[in-house]
Every structure is written in C-alpha cells, then in structure tokens.
Amino acid sequence: MPERAFKKLGDILTKALVSGDFDLYRSVLCLPMKFTPRDGQSYVLPDEAALREDFDLYVSIIRLHGVTDIYRQFISFEPAGPGELYITCMTHILVRANLLAEPFASRMLVQHDAAGWRIKEIESSEGHLNWSLGRATVTSDGKFQSKS
C-alpha cells in the first residue's frame, strides 16, 4: 500500500466522521471491526448495527468538540499476511487549525479486497478510544482524561 493510498483511506475516514456519513464510513471498514486500546481491553463490533451505534457516538463527540479535521501522519507499514498490512501513523485531531488533543500514535490493520483497501482493526490510545465513546474528556492542555 503506497503512502498515497493510505492518505486516501484516511481522508475518506475523516470525511465520513466529520460529515456524519455512515455509508461512507462503512465503505472503508470491515466487519467484524476490532478496536484495541494500547494496554487496555479490545472490543469487537460484530455487525452493522453495532458499527452504527459506535459511529453515532463518535460523531456526536466530534460535533460537541467542533472537530473539523483528523490528520493521520504516515510513519510506517509492515506486512501482516496475504493482502494485509499494519500501518502506523500519528493522529492529529484538529478544531480549525488548532490541535484539540496532543497527537497520538495509531496503528491500523488494513486489508486489500475487491472493494480496495479497508480497515479491519484500529489500535489507538485508551484515552482516545474512551473519548470517542463519550467516556473521557480532553483537558485544557490536550490530554484525554477519563470521566470516572
């Protein structure tokens, strides 16, 4: 997967989340979809209904914070199996030209199939995943903080 293809995939993912377009979001993700917080308990969205519920939560958090862009800075890729790659990037969540939170490392397992490159798994910071589920806030100094 060339860096350009990863950029396109990331741009589609961002457009879907910022605009609230579930069909576009669904087009770049595989089911079941796995989310893994570093040093935390992973969870799997087994079907479209679960994916939709997760998407709606994330979009509501994005809108609450006024997120206008999510930039994924490519770092590296490594083979994961036939037609699969791990992509590592730094994720920047922006409100206009300002960072909402400190950039954080993410890793995606992507798969190439008849539909093109799609995401099978996302590994991210536990704070970010909790924030996307409405379980954390962002402090004034750009850190994710659990609500509990």
Side-chain angles (χ1 to χ4, degrees):
M1 168 184 239
E3 190 174 337
R4 185 180 312 172
F6 173 69
K7 180 179 177 350
K8 181 179 177 185
L9 182 65
D11 288 348
I12 292 169
L13 185 60
T14 295
K15 181 178 180 183
L17 288 166
V18 171
S19 70
D21 185 338
F22 178 74
D23 292 332
L24 186 59
Y25 184 72
R26 174 68 182 94
S27 76
V28 295
L29 298 178
C30 297
L31 287 173
M33 180 65 193
K34 184 176 182 181
F35 291 90
T36 304
R38 276 183 297 289
D39 303 323
Q41 182 69 29
S42 63
Y43 61 97
V44 174
L45 304 176
D47 54 34
E48 197 159 315
L51 184 67
R52 179 64 193 230
E53 184 178 337
D54 185 80
F55 172 81
D56 288 343
L57 275 171
Y58 198 3
V59 168
S60 69
I61 295 301
I62 283 171
R63 289 182 175 160
L64 176 69
H65 290 275
V67 172
T68 55
D69 197 8
I70 303 168
Y71 172 67
R72 294 166 192 85
Q73 179 183 6
F74 175 83
I75 295 174
S76 66
F77 73 89
E78 63 182 274
E84 294 183 342
L85 294 171
Y86 282 109
I87 308 291
T88 302
C89 63
M90 285 299 289
T91 302
H92 306 254
I93 300 174
L94 302 163
V95 176
R96 295 189 185 92
N98 300 305
L99 286 169
L100 174 68
E102 291 181 356
F104 53 91
S106 297
R107 187 168 94 149
M108 298 179 190
L109 175 61
V110 296
Q111 166 186 303
H112 193 267
D113 59 23
W117 287 101
R118 296 187 308 143
I119 303 164
K120 287 180 68 171
E121 179 179 347
I122 295 176
E123 179 184 302
S124 190
S125 72
E126 187 168 11
H128 169 250
L129 290 176
N130 282 333
W131 176 76
S132 73
L133 295 168
R135 298 179 189 154
T137 60
V138 179
T139 64
S140 61
D141 61 346
K143 302 207 183 322
F144 293 110
Q145 182 177 19
S146 177
K147 287 184 176 180
S148 55

PDB file of all heavy atoms in Angstrom, residues 48-81:
ATOM      1  N   GLU A  48     -23.286  -4.550  11.485  1.00  0.00           N
ATOM      2  CA  GLU A  48     -23.531  -3.176  11.062  1.00  0.00           C
ATOM      3  C   GLU A  48     -24.265  -2.360  12.125  1.00  0.00           C
ATOM      4  O   GLU A  48     -24.000  -1.165  12.283  1.00  0.00           O
ATOM      5  CB  GLU A  48     -24.304  -3.163   9.737  1.00  0.00           C
ATOM      6  CG  GLU A  48     -24.232  -1.824   9.066  1.00  0.00           C
ATOM      7  CD  GLU A  48     -24.523  -1.891   7.581  1.00  0.00           C
ATOM      8  OE1 GLU A  48     -23.999  -2.783   6.905  1.00  0.00           O
ATOM      9  OE2 GLU A  48     -25.265  -1.010   7.121  1.00  0.00           O
ATOM     10  N   ALA A  49     -25.172  -2.984  12.875  1.00  0.00           N
ATOM     11  CA  ALA A  49     -25.904  -2.259  13.925  1.00  0.00           C
ATOM     12  C   ALA A  49     -24.938  -1.762  15.009  1.00  0.00           C
ATOM     13  O   ALA A  49     -25.035  -0.614  15.455  1.00  0.00           O
ATOM     14  CB  ALA A  49     -26.988  -3.145  14.533  1.00  0.00           C
ATOM     15  N   ALA A  50     -24.015  -2.618  15.418  1.00  0.00           N
ATOM     16  CA  ALA A  50     -23.027  -2.218  16.431  1.00  0.00           C
ATOM     17  C   ALA A  50     -22.086  -1.148  15.883  1.00  0.00           C
ATOM     18  O   ALA A  50     -21.733  -0.200  16.590  1.00  0.00           O
ATOM     19  CB  ALA A  50     -22.235  -3.441  16.903  1.00  0.00           C
ATOM     20  N   LEU A  51     -21.699  -1.295  14.619  1.00  0.00           N
ATOM     21  CA  LEU A  51     -20.838  -0.293  13.991  1.00  0.00           C
ATOM     22  C   LEU A  51     -21.548   1.052  13.928  1.00  0.00           C
ATOM     23  O   LEU A  51     -20.961   2.088  14.218  1.00  0.00           O
ATOM     24  CB  LEU A  51     -20.422  -0.749  12.587  1.00  0.00           C
ATOM     25  CG  LEU A  51     -19.452   0.167  11.852  1.00  0.00           C
ATOM     26  CD1 LEU A  51     -18.091   0.188  12.545  1.00  0.00           C
ATOM     27  CD2 LEU A  51     -19.304  -0.295  10.401  1.00  0.00           C
ATOM     28  N   ARG A  52     -22.818   1.037  13.596  1.00  0.00           N
ATOM     29  CA  ARG A  52     -23.607   2.276  13.504  1.00  0.00           C
ATOM     30  C   ARG A  52     -23.700   2.962  14.864  1.00  0.00           C
ATOM     31  O   ARG A  52     -23.547   4.186  14.972  1.00  0.00           O
ATOM     32  CB  ARG A  52     -25.008   1.971  12.959  1.00  0.00           C
ATOM     33  CG  ARG A  52     -25.924   3.179  12.854  1.00  0.00           C
ATOM     34  CD  ARG A  52     -25.347   4.142  11.843  1.00  0.00           C
ATOM     35  NE  ARG A  52     -25.964   5.417  11.874  1.00  0.00           N
ATOM     36  CZ  ARG A  52     -26.434   6.046  10.797  1.00  0.00           C
ATOM     37  NH1 ARG A  52     -26.387   5.472   9.626  1.00  0.00           N
ATOM     38  NH2 ARG A  52     -26.952   7.230  10.901  1.00  0.00           N
ATOM     39  N   GLU A  53     -23.942   2.186  15.906  1.00  0.00           N
ATOM     40  CA  GLU A  53     -24.035   2.753  17.256  1.00  0.00           C
ATOM     41  C   GLU A  53     -22.710   3.408  17.655  1.00  0.00           C
ATOM     42  O   GLU A  53     -22.694   4.525  18.187  1.00  0.00           O
ATOM     43  CB  GLU A  53     -24.410   1.660  18.254  1.00  0.00           C
ATOM     44  CG  GLU A  53     -24.625   2.161  19.659  1.00  0.00           C
ATOM     45  CD  GLU A  53     -25.049   1.046  20.609  1.00  0.00           C
ATOM     46  OE1 GLU A  53     -25.591   0.025  20.166  1.00  0.00           O
ATOM     47  OE2 GLU A  53     -24.822   1.231  21.823  1.00  0.00           O
ATOM     48  N   ASP A  54     -21.601   2.726  17.389  1.00  0.00           N
ATOM     49  CA  ASP A  54     -20.272   3.259  17.694  1.00  0.00           C
ATOM     50  C   ASP A  54     -20.001   4.528  16.882  1.00  0.00           C
ATOM     51  O   ASP A  54     -19.501   5.521  17.406  1.00  0.00           O
ATOM     52  CB  ASP A  54     -19.219   2.185  17.384  1.00  0.00           C
ATOM     53  CG  ASP A  54     -17.826   2.599  17.785  1.00  0.00           C
ATOM     54  OD1 ASP A  54     -17.498   2.500  18.979  1.00  0.00           O
ATOM     55  OD2 ASP A  54     -17.062   3.015  16.893  1.00  0.00           O
ATOM     56  N   PHE A  55     -20.341   4.501  15.606  1.00  0.00           N
ATOM     57  CA  PHE A  55     -20.173   5.650  14.715  1.00  0.00           C
ATOM     58  C   PHE A  55     -20.962   6.853  15.234  1.00  0.00           C
ATOM     59  O   PHE A  55     -20.440   7.967  15.311  1.00  0.00           O
ATOM     60  CB  PHE A  55     -20.632   5.276  13.301  1.00  0.00           C
ATOM     61  CG  PHE A  55     -20.684   6.423  12.339  1.00  0.00           C
ATOM     62  CD1 PHE A  55     -19.533   6.872  11.698  1.00  0.00           C
ATOM     63  CD2 PHE A  55     -21.882   7.050  12.044  1.00  0.00           C
ATOM     64  CE1 PHE A  55     -19.582   7.928  10.801  1.00  0.00           C
ATOM     65  CE2 PHE A  55     -21.941   8.103  11.146  1.00  0.00           C
ATOM     66  CZ  PHE A  55     -20.786   8.544  10.519  1.00  0.00           C
ATOM     67  N   ASP A  56     -22.217   6.633  15.591  1.00  0.00           N
ATOM     68  CA  ASP A  56     -23.064   7.734  16.074  1.00  0.00           C
ATOM     69  C   ASP A  56     -22.485   8.371  17.340  1.00  0.00           C
ATOM     70  O   ASP A  56     -22.518   9.598  17.492  1.00  0.00           O
ATOM     71  CB  ASP A  56     -24.493   7.253  16.325  1.00  0.00           C
ATOM     72  CG  ASP A  56     -25.254   6.965  15.044  1.00  0.00           C
ATOM     73  OD1 ASP A  56     -24.828   7.427  13.948  1.00  0.00           O
ATOM     74  OD2 ASP A  56     -26.291   6.271  15.118  1.00  0.00           O
ATOM     75  N   LEU A  57     -21.940   7.554  18.246  1.00  0.00           N
ATOM     76  CA  LEU A  57     -21.299   8.092  19.454  1.00  0.00           C
ATOM     77  C   LEU A  57     -20.102   8.961  19.083  1.00  0.00           C
ATOM     78  O   LEU A  57     -19.953  10.078  19.598  1.00  0.00           O
ATOM     79  CB  LEU A  57     -20.817   6.949  20.353  1.00  0.00           C
ATOM     80  CG  LEU A  57     -21.812   6.345  21.303  1.00  0.00           C
ATOM     81  CD1 LEU A  57     -21.227   5.083  21.953  1.00  0.00           C
ATOM     82  CD2 LEU A  57     -22.214   7.342  22.372  1.00  0.00           C
ATOM     83  N   TYR A  58     -19.255   8.442  18.199  1.00  0.00           N
ATOM     84  CA  TYR A  58     -18.043   9.163  17.808  1.00  0.00           C
ATOM     85  C   TYR A  58     -18.402  10.482  17.128  1.00  0.00           C
ATOM     86  O   TYR A  58     -17.836  11.535  17.437  1.00  0.00           O
ATOM     87  CB  TYR A  58     -17.193   8.278  16.901  1.00  0.00           C
ATOM     88  CG  TYR A  58     -15.745   8.697  16.757  1.00  0.00           C
ATOM     89  CD1 TYR A  58     -15.191   9.765  17.452  1.00  0.00           C
ATOM     90  CD2 TYR A  58     -14.909   7.992  15.903  1.00  0.00           C
ATOM     91  CE1 TYR A  58     -13.853  10.127  17.309  1.00  0.00           C
ATOM     92  CE2 TYR A  58     -13.566   8.351  15.753  1.00  0.00           C
ATOM     93  CZ  TYR A  58     -13.057   9.419  16.457  1.00  0.00           C
ATOM     94  OH  TYR A  58     -11.741   9.770  16.302  1.00  0.00           O
ATOM     95  N   VAL A  59     -19.367  10.450  16.225  1.00  0.00           N
ATOM     96  CA  VAL A  59     -19.783  11.675  15.523  1.00  0.00           C
ATOM     97  C   VAL A  59     -20.332  12.697  16.513  1.00  0.00           C
ATOM     98  O   VAL A  59     -20.041  13.895  16.403  1.00  0.00           O
ATOM     99  CB  VAL A  59     -20.792  11.353  14.399  1.00  0.00           C
ATOM    100  CG1 VAL A  59     -21.441  12.619  13.862  1.00  0.00           C
ATOM    101  CG2 VAL A  59     -20.105  10.584  13.272  1.00  0.00           C
ATOM    102  N   SER A  60     -21.092  12.243  17.495  1.00  0.00           N
ATOM    103  CA  SER A  60     -21.644  13.201  18.470  1.00  0.00           C
ATOM    104  C   SER A  60     -20.529  13.856  19.284  1.00  0.00           C
ATOM    105  O   SER A  60     -20.594  15.054  19.575  1.00  0.00           O
ATOM    106  CB  SER A  60     -22.672  12.529  19.384  1.00  0.00           C
ATOM    107  OG  SER A  60     -22.068  11.607  20.246  1.00  0.00           O
ATOM    108  N   ILE A  61     -19.481  13.107  19.634  1.00  0.00           N
ATOM    109  CA  ILE A  61     -18.340  13.664  20.373  1.00  0.00           C
ATOM    110  C   ILE A  61     -17.566  14.644  19.493  1.00  0.00           C
ATOM    111  O   ILE A  61     -17.169  15.729  19.932  1.00  0.00           O
ATOM    112  CB  ILE A  61     -17.415  12.535  20.887  1.00  0.00           C
ATOM    113  CG1 ILE A  61     -18.135  11.664  21.904  1.00  0.00           C
ATOM    114  CG2 ILE A  61     -16.118  13.082  21.434  1.00  0.00           C
ATOM    115  CD1 ILE A  61     -18.652  12.392  23.130  1.00  0.00           C
ATOM    116  N   ILE A  62     -17.368  14.272  18.235  1.00  0.00           N
ATOM    117  CA  ILE A  62     -16.673  15.150  17.284  1.00  0.00           C
ATOM    118  C   ILE A  62     -17.412  16.484  17.151  1.00  0.00           C
ATOM    119  O   ILE A  62     -16.806  17.551  17.186  1.00  0.00           O
ATOM    120  CB  ILE A  62     -16.536  14.445  15.911  1.00  0.00           C
ATOM    121  CG1 ILE A  62     -15.418  13.410  15.979  1.00  0.00           C
ATOM    122  CG2 ILE A  62     -16.295  15.443  14.786  1.00  0.00           C
ATOM    123  CD1 ILE A  62     -15.341  12.523  14.753  1.00  0.00           C
ATOM    124  N   ARG A  63     -18.722  16.412  17.025  1.00  0.00           N
ATOM    125  CA  ARG A  63     -19.523  17.635  16.872  1.00  0.00           C
ATOM    126  C   ARG A  63     -19.529  18.459  18.146  1.00  0.00           C
ATOM    127  O   ARG A  63     -19.460  19.692  18.093  1.00  0.00           O
ATOM    128  CB  ARG A  63     -20.937  17.278  16.426  1.00  0.00           C
ATOM    129  CG  ARG A  63     -20.952  16.798  14.997  1.00  0.00           C
ATOM    130  CD  ARG A  63     -22.311  16.482  14.488  1.00  0.00           C
ATOM    131  NE  ARG A  63     -22.228  16.132  13.065  1.00  0.00           N
ATOM    132  CZ  ARG A  63     -23.131  15.460  12.419  1.00  0.00           C
ATOM    133  NH1 ARG A  63     -24.240  15.063  13.020  1.00  0.00           N
ATOM    134  NH2 ARG A  63     -22.969  15.179  11.135  1.00  0.00           N
ATOM    135  N   LEU A  64     -19.584  17.797  19.288  1.00  0.00           N
ATOM    136  CA  LEU A  64     -19.558  18.501  20.574  1.00  0.00           C
ATOM    137  C   LEU A  64     -18.290  19.339  20.711  1.00  0.00           C
ATOM    138  O   LEU A  64     -18.327  20.463  21.205  1.00  0.00           O
ATOM    139  CB  LEU A  64     -19.642  17.485  21.722  1.00  0.00           C
ATOM    140  CG  LEU A  64     -19.534  18.037  23.137  1.00  0.00           C
ATOM    141  CD1 LEU A  64     -20.777  18.868  23.484  1.00  0.00           C
ATOM    142  CD2 LEU A  64     -19.352  16.904  24.138  1.00  0.00           C
ATOM    143  N   HIS A  65     -17.174  18.815  20.235  1.00  0.00           N
ATOM    144  CA  HIS A  65     -15.885  19.500  20.348  1.00  0.00           C
ATOM    145  C   HIS A  65     -15.531  20.355  19.129  1.00  0.00           C
ATOM    146  O   HIS A  65     -14.484  20.998  19.130  1.00  0.00           O
ATOM    147  CB  HIS A  65     -14.771  18.482  20.603  1.00  0.00           C
ATOM    148  CG  HIS A  65     -14.840  17.884  21.971  1.00  0.00           C
ATOM    149  ND1 HIS A  65     -14.279  18.487  23.071  1.00  0.00           N
ATOM    150  CD2 HIS A  65     -15.419  16.757  22.432  1.00  0.00           C
ATOM    151  CE1 HIS A  65     -14.509  17.745  24.141  1.00  0.00           C
ATOM    152  NE2 HIS A  65     -15.200  16.691  23.780  1.00  0.00           N
ATOM    153  N   GLY A  66     -16.373  20.357  18.121  1.00  0.00           N
ATOM    154  CA  GLY A  66     -16.123  21.192  16.948  1.00  0.00           C
ATOM    155  C   GLY A  66     -14.982  20.707  16.072  1.00  0.00           C
ATOM    156  O   GLY A  66     -14.354  21.517  15.369  1.00  0.00           O
ATOM    157  N   VAL A  67     -14.709  19.408  16.073  1.00  0.00           N
ATOM    158  CA  VAL A  67     -13.622  18.859  15.266  1.00  0.00           C
ATOM    159  C   VAL A  67     -13.896  19.124  13.784  1.00  0.00           C
ATOM    160  O   VAL A  67     -14.989  18.859  13.283  1.00  0.00           O
ATOM    161  CB  VAL A  67     -13.451  17.341  15.523  1.00  0.00           C
ATOM    162  CG1 VAL A  67     -12.451  16.720  14.553  1.00  0.00           C
ATOM    163  CG2 VAL A  67     -13.027  17.105  16.965  1.00  0.00           C
ATOM    164  N   THR A  68     -12.891  19.660  13.109  1.00  0.00           N
ATOM    165  CA  THR A  68     -13.012  19.957  11.676  1.00  0.00           C
ATOM    166  C   THR A  68     -12.115  19.089  10.806  1.00  0.00           C
ATOM    167  O   THR A  68     -12.319  19.017   9.596  1.00  0.00           O
ATOM    168  CB  THR A  68     -12.672  21.436  11.402  1.00  0.00           C
ATOM    169  OG1 THR A  68     -11.366  21.717  11.942  1.00  0.00           O
ATOM    170  CG2 THR A  68     -13.701  22.361  12.029  1.00  0.00           C
ATOM    171  N   ASP A  69     -11.129  18.428  11.423  1.00  0.00           N
ATOM    172  CA  ASP A  69     -10.230  17.587  10.628  1.00  0.00           C
ATOM    173  C   ASP A  69      -9.530  16.581  11.539  1.00  0.00           C
ATOM    174  O   ASP A  69      -9.316  16.844  12.728  1.00  0.00           O
ATOM    175  CB  ASP A  69      -9.175  18.455   9.925  1.00  0.00           C
ATOM    176  CG  ASP A  69      -8.463  17.747   8.781  1.00  0.00           C
ATOM    177  OD1 ASP A  69      -8.867  16.622   8.413  1.00  0.00           O
ATOM    178  OD2 ASP A  69      -7.491  18.314   8.263  1.00  0.00           O
ATOM    179  N   ILE A  70      -9.212  15.443  10.964  1.00  0.00           N
ATOM    180  CA  ILE A  70      -8.379  14.441  11.630  1.00  0.00           C
ATOM    181  C   ILE A  70      -7.292  14.087  10.626  1.00  0.00           C
ATOM    182  O   ILE A  70      -7.576  13.560   9.553  1.00  0.00           O
ATOM    183  CB  ILE A  70      -9.184  13.190  12.035  1.00  0.00           C
ATOM    184  CG1 ILE A  70     -10.353  13.571  12.939  1.00  0.00           C
ATOM    185  CG2 ILE A  70      -8.259  12.171  12.710  1.00  0.00           C
ATOM    186  CD1 ILE A  70     -11.361  12.457  13.166  1.00  0.00           C
ATOM    187  N   TYR A  71      -6.074  14.438  10.971  1.00  0.00           N
ATOM    188  CA  TYR A  71      -4.937  14.219  10.070  1.00  0.00           C
ATOM    189  C   TYR A  71      -4.129  13.044  10.584  1.00  0.00           C
ATOM    190  O   TYR A  71      -3.753  13.010  11.761  1.00  0.00           O
ATOM    191  CB  TYR A  71      -4.074  15.485   9.988  1.00  0.00           C
ATOM    192  CG  TYR A  71      -2.784  15.276   9.244  1.00  0.00           C
ATOM    193  CD1 TYR A  71      -2.777  15.017   7.877  1.00  0.00           C
ATOM    194  CD2 TYR A  71      -1.568  15.309   9.915  1.00  0.00           C
ATOM    195  CE1 TYR A  71      -1.581  14.807   7.197  1.00  0.00           C
ATOM    196  CE2 TYR A  71      -0.374  15.108   9.244  1.00  0.00           C
ATOM    197  CZ  TYR A  71      -0.388  14.849   7.888  1.00  0.00           C
ATOM    198  OH  TYR A  71       0.783  14.633   7.227  1.00  0.00           O
ATOM    199  N   ARG A  72      -3.860  12.098   9.704  1.00  0.00           N
ATOM    200  CA  ARG A  72      -3.058  10.926  10.048  1.00  0.00           C
ATOM    201  C   ARG A  72      -1.731  11.014   9.319  1.00  0.00           C
ATOM    202  O   ARG A  72      -1.689  10.870   8.104  1.00  0.00           O
ATOM    203  CB  ARG A  72      -3.815   9.660   9.692  1.00  0.00           C
ATOM    204  CG  ARG A  72      -5.052   9.473  10.533  1.00  0.00           C
ATOM    205  CD  ARG A  72      -5.994   8.413   9.964  1.00  0.00           C
ATOM    206  NE  ARG A  72      -7.278   8.490  10.646  1.00  0.00           N
ATOM    207  CZ  ARG A  72      -8.249   9.315  10.296  1.00  0.00           C
ATOM    208  NH1 ARG A  72      -8.101  10.117   9.269  1.00  0.00           N
ATOM    209  NH2 ARG A  72      -9.380   9.347  10.967  1.00  0.00           N
ATOM    210  N   GLN A  73      -0.667  11.246  10.066  1.00  0.00           N
ATOM    211  CA  GLN A  73       0.682  11.385   9.503  1.00  0.00           C
ATOM    212  C   GLN A  73       1.308   9.998   9.399  1.00  0.00           C
ATOM    213  O   GLN A  73       1.577   9.338  10.407  1.00  0.00           O
ATOM    214  CB  GLN A  73       1.517  12.289  10.407  1.00  0.00           C
ATOM    215  CG  GLN A  73       2.926  12.488   9.965  1.00  0.00           C
ATOM    216  CD  GLN A  73       3.702  13.332  10.973  1.00  0.00           C
ATOM    217  OE1 GLN A  73       3.215  13.674  12.044  1.00  0.00           O
ATOM    218  NE2 GLN A  73       4.922  13.660  10.606  1.00  0.00           N
ATOM    219  N   PHE A  74       1.521   9.548   8.180  1.00  0.00           N
ATOM    220  CA  PHE A  74       2.081   8.224   7.918  1.00  0.00           C
ATOM    221  C   PHE A  74       3.461   8.093   8.552  1.00  0.00           C
ATOM    222  O   PHE A  74       4.298   8.980   8.423  1.00  0.00           O
ATOM    223  CB  PHE A  74       2.172   8.005   6.408  1.00  0.00           C
ATOM    224  CG  PHE A  74       2.845   6.722   6.017  1.00  0.00           C
ATOM    225  CD1 PHE A  74       2.139   5.535   5.999  1.00  0.00           C
ATOM    226  CD2 PHE A  74       4.186   6.692   5.681  1.00  0.00           C
ATOM    227  CE1 PHE A  74       2.749   4.342   5.643  1.00  0.00           C
ATOM    228  CE2 PHE A  74       4.817   5.516   5.330  1.00  0.00           C
ATOM    229  CZ  PHE A  74       4.096   4.332   5.308  1.00  0.00           C
ATOM    230  N   ILE A  75       3.704   6.974   9.231  1.00  0.00           N
ATOM    231  CA  ILE A  75       5.020   6.686   9.802  1.00  0.00           C
ATOM    232  C   ILE A  75       5.633   5.461   9.120  1.00  0.00           C
ATOM    233  O   ILE A  75       6.748   5.517   8.630  1.00  0.00           O
ATOM    234  CB  ILE A  75       4.954   6.482  11.323  1.00  0.00           C
ATOM    235  CG1 ILE A  75       4.533   7.791  11.993  1.00  0.00           C
ATOM    236  CG2 ILE A  75       6.290   6.001  11.864  1.00  0.00           C
ATOM    237  CD1 ILE A  75       4.292   7.684  13.473  1.00  0.00           C
ATOM    238  N   SER A  76       4.895   4.347   9.099  1.00  0.00           N
ATOM    239  CA  SER A  76       5.467   3.132   8.520  1.00  0.00           C
ATOM    240  C   SER A  76       4.378   2.115   8.207  1.00  0.00           C
ATOM    241  O   SER A  76       3.235   2.270   8.640  1.00  0.00           O
ATOM    242  CB  SER A  76       6.467   2.501   9.498  1.00  0.00           C
ATOM    243  OG  SER A  76       5.795   2.044  10.653  1.00  0.00           O
ATOM    244  N   PHE A  77       4.784   1.090   7.470  1.00  0.00           N
ATOM    245  CA  PHE A  77       3.905  -0.046   7.266  1.00  0.00           C
ATOM    246  C   PHE A  77       4.725  -1.320   7.362  1.00  0.00           C
ATOM    247  O   PHE A  77       5.934  -1.310   7.180  1.00  0.00           O
ATOM    248  CB  PHE A  77       3.152   0.039   5.932  1.00  0.00           C
ATOM    249  CG  PHE A  77       4.004  -0.221   4.721  1.00  0.00           C
ATOM    250  CD1 PHE A  77       4.178  -1.503   4.220  1.00  0.00           C
ATOM    251  CD2 PHE A  77       4.631   0.836   4.071  1.00  0.00           C
ATOM    252  CE1 PHE A  77       4.966  -1.734   3.110  1.00  0.00           C
ATOM    253  CE2 PHE A  77       5.416   0.611   2.958  1.00  0.00           C
ATOM    254  CZ  PHE A  77       5.590  -0.671   2.481  1.00  0.00           C
ATOM    255  N   GLU A  78       4.026  -2.409   7.697  1.00  0.00           N
ATOM    256  CA  GLU A  78       4.683  -3.711   7.732  1.00  0.00           C
ATOM    257  C   GLU A  78       3.667  -4.766   7.301  1.00  0.00           C
ATOM    258  O   GLU A  78       2.474  -4.661   7.615  1.00  0.00           O
ATOM    259  CB  GLU A  78       5.236  -4.022   9.125  1.00  0.00           C
ATOM    260  CG  GLU A  78       4.186  -4.137  10.210  1.00  0.00           C
ATOM    261  CD  GLU A  78       4.771  -4.398  11.589  1.00  0.00           C
ATOM    262  OE1 GLU A  78       5.006  -5.569  11.929  1.00  0.00           O
ATOM    263  OE2 GLU A  78       4.968  -3.410  12.308  1.00  0.00           O
ATOM    264  N   PRO A  79       4.120  -5.775   6.574  1.00  0.00           N
ATOM    265  CA  PRO A  79       3.215  -6.843   6.138  1.00  0.00           C
ATOM    266  C   PRO A  79       2.615  -7.565   7.338  1.00  0.00           C
ATOM    267  O   PRO A  79       3.276  -7.761   8.361  1.00  0.00           O
ATOM    268  CB  PRO A  79       4.118  -7.787   5.339  1.00  0.00           C
ATOM    269  CG  PRO A  79       5.321  -6.974   4.990  1.00  0.00           C
ATOM    270  CD  PRO A  79       5.477  -5.954   6.084  1.00  0.00           C
ATOM    271  N   ALA A  80       1.354  -7.967   7.198  1.00  0.00           N
ATOM    272  CA  ALA A  80       0.672  -8.670   8.283  1.00  0.00           C
ATOM    273  C   ALA A  80       0.161 -10.034   7.829  1.00  0.00           C
ATOM    274  O   ALA A  80      -0.274 -10.826   8.647  1.00  0.00           O
ATOM    275  CB  ALA A  80      -0.490  -7.831   8.799  1.00  0.00           C
ATOM    276  N   GLY A  81       0.184 -10.286   6.554  1.00  0.00           N
ATOM    277  CA  GLY A  81      -0.331 -11.532   5.992  1.00  0.00           C
ATOM    278  C   GLY A  81      -0.723 -11.270   4.556  1.00  0.00           C
ATOM    279  O   GLY A  81      -0.605 -10.140   4.077  1.00  0.00           O
TER     280      GLY A  81
END
